[in-house]
Amino acid sequence: ETGVTQSPTHLIKTRGQQVTLRCSSQSGHNTVSWYQQALGQGPQFIFQYYREEENGRGNFPPRFSGLQFPNYSSELNVNALELDDSALYLCASSPSSGANVLTFGAGSRLTVL
Amino acid sequence: GQQLNQSPQSMFIQEGEDVSMNCTSSSIFNTWLWYKQEPGEGPVLLIALYKAGELTSNGRLTAQFGITRKDSFLNISASIPSDVGIYFCAGPPSGTYKYIFGTGTRLKVLA
């Protein structure tokens, strides 16, 4: 059973640029959630994808968007990057869209200069 | 964003000591999860709780789902150096599936 994998592991961008982060869900999981973890903080819910549609969203602006593909993998896109977007972005998969245990990937560390 | 309150924020303990930490919320939760995160890694699930009053163990770890459904507790017995990390509580407030995470308890174990 493969776990959740994320890419890239680290990246550096400048303000105003756009970034795409990728996530492959754990085998057998059809729901993917994205979290932002700022340094020294707990993860903050960005949104969840189920059956290729956004299924719920946290308090993040529209420049944070995502996709889920038929194989349940997912992308997180962030446009017009700001310095405060610097964080660890975590992807978590779960067996369904309800209240289930989340399995996390190792994250993508984004630095915005 | 909304977060759960965890205490203590950090702990420095001697190897072999027991550790207790707790998590409180202003909302009712139907599920409580406890995760551990080490540097450069994503959170790893330790224990999941699904019922008020439930007490669940995983090796040296024991967690409880508070009777009020607004709190949870995690205990680690006989700590060892590899227990070092940040411990997070998490769960979806009742009626939602948007998981909220605590502020974390940073644990350091002195050999």
Side-chain angles (χ1 to χ4, degrees):
Chain A
E1 170 178 283
T2 56
V4 177
T5 58
Q6 293 187 241
S7 63
T9 54
H10 295 83
L11 69 167
I12 300 173
K13 294 284 188 178
T14 57
R15 278 185 302 174
Q17 285 189 313
Q18 178 266 343
V19 67
T20 297
L21 308 178
R22 295 177 176 84
C23 171
S24 294
S25 61
Q26 179 169 308
S27 175
H29 288 186
N30 60 15
T31 301
V32 172
S33 302
W34 286 92
Y35 288 79
Q36 181 194 66
Q37 187 177 23
L39 200 62
Q41 302 292 320
Q44 296 281 329
F45 176 75
I46 302 175
F47 43 55
Q48 181 186 85
Y49 275 83
Y50 173 65
R51 291 185 176 180
E52 302 177 50
E53 292 192 359
E54 187 178 295
N55 192 35
R57 189 176 187 94
N59 189 27
F60 282 82
R63 59 189 186 84
F64 285 77
S65 64
L67 287 172
Q68 186 180 33
F69 301 98
N71 65 355
Y72 307 126
S73 65
S74 178
E75 287 182 355
L76 165 66
N77 300 289
V78 186
N79 295 320
L81 285 167
E82 300 176 0
L83 296 180
D84 285 349
D85 295 334
S86 295
L88 181 67
Y89 287 85
L90 294 162
C91 170
S93 70
S94 54
S96 69
S97 63
N100 283 284
V101 168
L102 302 175
T103 301
F104 282 89
S108 294
R109 171 73 65 185
L110 171 65
T111 301
V112 182
L113 303 176
Chain B
Q2 184 179 3
Q3 285 194 324
L4 301 171
N5 293 316
Q6 283 187 247
S7 64
Q9 284 188 322
S10 61
M11 304 179 73
F12 288 79
I13 62 170
Q14 292 288 334
E15 184 177 0
E17 289 185 352
D18 296 343
V19 174
S20 292
M21 60 189 78
N22 71 297
C23 183
T24 59
S25 167
S26 57
S27 305
I28 288 175
F29 279 53
N30 291 327
T31 300
W32 283 97
L33 306 176
W34 283 93
Y35 284 88
K36 178 187 177 186
Q37 187 175 27
E38 297 185 36
E41 301 291 330
V44 174
L45 180 71
L46 300 173
I47 293 178
L49 302 162
Y50 299 105
K51 185 178 177 181
E54 179 182 353
L55 187 70
T56 298
S57 294
N58 177 9
R60 294 179 297 105
L61 278 61
T62 301
Q64 185 163 23
F65 193 138
I67 289 292
T68 66
R69 295 167 64 195
K70 292 184 177 182
D71 57 8
S72 181
F73 307 88
L74 176 69
N75 296 310
I76 305 173
S77 63
S79 58
I80 59 178
S82 62
D83 291 332
V84 166
I86 305 175
Y87 292 79
F88 289 103
C89 58
S94 181
T96 81
Y97 48 80
K98 299 178 183 179
Y99 282 77
I100 299 172
F101 278 74
T103 48
T105 293
R106 287 151 182 77
L107 178 65
K108 292 197 175 181
V109 180
L110 306 175

